[in-house]
């Protein structure tokens, strides 16, 4: 894609193609997007200014452990943003692969269950400021009591909160 003069490469990977489909954790450490397929897809978007990889599962708790270091190394070599879900939470974390960094961002489910106490609906609004090398994240969750989407900052350190010129919080 071309947006505001920047090329954006988006690679979708199927992290669930070996899933048994059960609701338990029997697939933990049994999944892979396929190293060769991931490498081939990353090569296609290598010249893009921004490279985004979309998967369903987090790397560290669901991928085959023996493959995880090489998959991390590939994602880091291409300096991707790895966007995923599965755990229905909003969070982010820097990852390291072969001495290089990349960022994983986990977004919640905007519709898991209607106003359920256990499964809170949430989403993560993101804005990339390419020129200043900033990624702004605004985590939101559904407030059953207030009937609105409100800030959900529990998984985001206050130290990283961005504030406006008056000190009012904006995003992370």
């Amino acid at each position: 894609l071309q947006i505001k003069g920047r090329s954006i490469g988006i690679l979708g990977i199927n992290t669930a193609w070996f899933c048994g489909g059960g609701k338990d954790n029997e697939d933990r450490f049994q999944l892979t997007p396929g190293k060769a397929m991931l490498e081939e897809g990353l090569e296609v978007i290598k010249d893009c200014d921004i490279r985004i990889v979309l998967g369903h599962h987090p790397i560290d708790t669901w991928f085959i452990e023996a493959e995880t270091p090489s998959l991390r190394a590939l994602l880091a070599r291409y300096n991707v943003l790895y966007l995923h879900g599965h755990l229905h939470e909003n969070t982010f974390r820097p990852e390291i692969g072969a001495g290089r960094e990349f960022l994983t961002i986990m977004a919640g489910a905007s519709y898991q269950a209607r106003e359920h106490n256990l499964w809170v609906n949430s989403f993560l609004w993101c804005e990339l400021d390419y020129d200043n090398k900033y990624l702004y994240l605004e985590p939101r969750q559904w407030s059953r009591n207030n009937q609105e989407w409100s800030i959900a900052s529990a998984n985001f350190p206050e130290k990283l909160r961005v504030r406006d010129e008056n000190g009012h919080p904006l995003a992370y």
Side-chain angles (χ1 to χ4, degrees):
L1 302 171
Q2 289 290 327
I3 299 176
K4 295 184 179 182
R6 302 283 179 206
S7 60
I8 302 171
I10 301 172
L11 173 63
I13 59 174
N14 186 354
T15 64
W17 67 324
F18 286 125
C19 270
K23 290 190 176 194
D24 55 22
N25 289 334
E26 68 187 35
D27 293 323
R28 285 190 83 169
F29 303 111
Q30 302 299 315
L31 306 179
T32 180
K35 180 182 171 285
M37 288 188 294
L38 176 62
E39 192 166 21
E40 186 175 324
L42 289 169
E43 195 58 28
V44 171
I45 64 171
K46 73 178 179 184
D47 294 325
C48 293
D49 297 316
I50 302 156
R51 290 164 298 281
I52 298 171
V53 176
L54 302 173
H56 180 80
H57 293 89
I59 298 167
D60 58 339
T61 55
W62 287 85
F63 287 7
I64 296 169
E65 286 183 273
E67 288 187 17
T68 299
S70 59
L71 296 173
R72 272 197 178 106
L74 281 173
L75 295 171
R77 179 185 311 148
Y78 291 90
N79 192 27
V80 306
L81 292 172
Y82 178 61
L83 309 181
H84 68 89
H86 188 68
L87 298 178
H88 301 250
E89 296 176 359
N90 291 324
T91 190
F92 73 98
R93 88 177 194 196
E95 297 264 0
I96 296 178
R100 298 182 180 112
E101 288 187 59
F102 67 101
L103 188 63
T104 60
I105 300 171
M106 179 169 45
S110 60
Y111 186 78
Q112 170 64 27
R114 188 166 190 76
E115 300 190 348
H116 195 279
N117 288 330
L118 178 61
W119 301 108
V120 177
N121 295 331
S122 63
F123 68 90
L124 190 59
W125 187 260
C126 303
E127 180 180 341
L128 177 65
D129 180 343
Y130 184 84
D131 294 330
N132 293 310
K133 306 294 185 216
Y134 264 87
L135 180 65
Y136 298 98
L137 305 174
E138 188 176 306
R140 296 286 184 150
Q141 70 183 23
W142 181 249
S143 171
R144 184 168 113 176
N145 293 341
N146 297 325
Q147 292 294 290
E148 66 183 10
W149 292 99
S150 59
I151 295 290
S153 59
N155 291 336
F156 295 81
E158 193 62 28
K159 175 182 178 181
L160 296 179
R161 187 182 292 241
V162 177
R163 299 180 181 278
D164 68 14
E165 62 276 355
N166 297 316
H168 299 112
L170 295 174
Y172 291 90

